[in-house]
Amino acid sequence: MVREWDPRTASSAEIASLLGTLNAVLAVDLPQDPPWRESSMREYLAEVMPGERRISWVAQAEAEADGTPGAILGHVHVLLLGDIGVLEVLVHPSARRTGLGRDLLLTAARRVYQEGFQSIGVEVVGDTPAIAFYESLGFSKEYVETRSVLDLSGVDWAELAEMATGISAGYHLQFHPGGPPDELIEAYARAKAEVRDVEDGELRPSSYDPQRLRDSLDCLHRRGMRPYIVLALHEQTGEVAGLTEVVVPVQHPTRADQYDTIVVQNHRGYGIDRAIKARMLMELRSAETELTEVQTWNAQANEAMLKVNAELGYRPDREWCEYSIDVAELVHRLDAGR
C-alpha cells in the first residue's frame, strides 16, 4: 500500500522502519558506505529551505497478526524547487522486481504533474540497479560527477600540515565551524556567485544571495548537519579569495560531505585550493572525533580539482549521474506499463 506520509507527524517506529530500509539498500548497493543512524532522521527528512516543498510517500507491508504495523518497504519523496521536481526513491532489496518502484515513482510523478512542473530529475549512483531502472523509463543522463573518498587513517598529517601553509604571501586562512560570520556573508556570497568548483546542475542549486546563504546554513543546522568553512582572505582587500565547505551529518558522522570548493578567478595560482582543503582536514581531525572519511564530488572535466584531491589522498569511488525526463512523458510511460 502506497500512502502519502509526513515525517513530521510519523511515529518513531515508522522513522526507524524507514531507516532500516535505507540501510538495507546501502548494504546491497553501496556496501562501503557507513550505515545511517536515527539521530535527527525526522528533521533530515522534514526540513527544507524557504520556498521549497518536500512531499513524501511510503509503501508499507500489511500489519502483523497481532496488529503490529508492517515494515516500510519503500519510500519516495519529491522536492519541489524552481521549475523541477527532484526525486529520491528507495525500495528494500527484498521488495525489488515486484513493481513497487514503478508504483512509487508513478505516485510522485502524478503529483509533480498536477503541481504544474515540467520536468523531473533524479540523482543516480553508478553501478547500481537504479541506472537500468531509470534508463528503461526514458530518463536522459544530463550530468556525471566522480565521487572520491578520503580515508583519514591513511593521511600523512605532517605532510598535510605543510600543504595547509602552502599559500602565497598576502593571504591568510580562517576556520569557521557552523558557518562564516555574518560580517563576511556578503563577501562569501560574492565569491560563490563569481565562480564555483563545478557547474551547478539543476538538481543542486546553490545559494549566491546573502540571505539565502543564511537560510541555507539555518536549514543545515535544523536537519542535523554540522557545517564547517575554511576561508582564504585577501589581506589587502579583505575579500574572500577562496572557500571550502564540509558538512558532517549526525545521521552518518563517520563520513563527512564536501560541498563547494571555490577559488575566485583573480586569485588562482597562489596555492589556495590545496591549502584550504588541507586546513579543513586538519581542523576536522579535532572537531569531529568520530570522523573516519570525507567524500567529495567533482566534474570529470575538472582536472585541476581532481589533481588537488589526489594530492590530498582522495581515491575515485563511483560515478554519480543526474537524469531528467519530461514529467508528462514519464506519467504516460508508467501508466501504459500498468
Side-chain angles (χ1 to χ4, degrees), residues 98-213:
T98 65
L100 179 56
R102 294 174 70 98
D103 289 345
L104 288 165
L105 185 56
L106 176 58
T107 300
R110 283 174 172 165
R111 176 63 68 84
V112 173
Y113 182 73
Q114 291 166 2
E115 294 275 352
F117 287 76
Q118 300 297 311
S119 60
I120 280 181
V122 64
E123 191 172 66
V124 188
V125 183
D127 298 323
T128 67
I131 293 286
F133 174 73
Y134 288 108
E135 289 185 349
S136 72
L137 294 172
F139 280 78
S140 298
K141 188 185 296 184
E142 304 289 347
Y143 189 72
V144 180
E145 290 182 310
T146 296
R147 181 179 77 167
S148 300
V149 178
L150 173 64
D151 180 352
L152 296 179
S153 68
V155 168
D156 183 331
W157 293 102
E159 182 179 2
L160 197 73
E162 274 191 42
M163 292 182 184
T165 59
I167 189 170
S168 297
Y171 299 91
H172 72 271
L173 305 186
Q174 292 183 355
F175 173 62
H176 296 288
D182 201 64
E183 62 267 22
L184 286 175
I185 281 284
E186 291 192 6
Y188 188 83
R190 285 195 295 273
K192 287 175 72 74
E194 180 175 336
V195 65
R196 45 255 191 214
D197 175 36
V198 296
E199 293 182 4
D200 287 311
E202 288 183 319
L203 306 192
R204 298 175 299 110
S206 292
S207 302
Y208 308 123
D209 169 79
Q211 185 54 50
R212 188 161 176 83
L213 277 169

Side-chain angles (χ1 to χ4, degrees), residues 199-254:
E199 293 182 4
D200 287 311
E202 288 183 319
L203 306 192
R204 298 175 299 110
S206 292
S207 302
Y208 308 123
D209 169 79
Q211 185 54 50
R212 188 161 176 83
L213 277 169
R214 294 184 184 97
D215 292 339
S216 178
L217 289 164
D218 180 60
C219 185
L220 285 173
H221 286 291
R222 286 186 281 111
R223 297 183 80 199
M225 305 169 77
R226 297 187 290 266
Y228 295 92
I229 311 293
V230 171
L231 302 179
L233 296 181
H234 185 227
E235 293 172 353
Q236 183 176 354
T237 63
E239 287 295 298
V240 172
L243 61 94
T244 191
E245 308 162 334
V246 167
V247 172
V248 180
V250 298
Q251 296 85 10
H252 54 89
T254 62

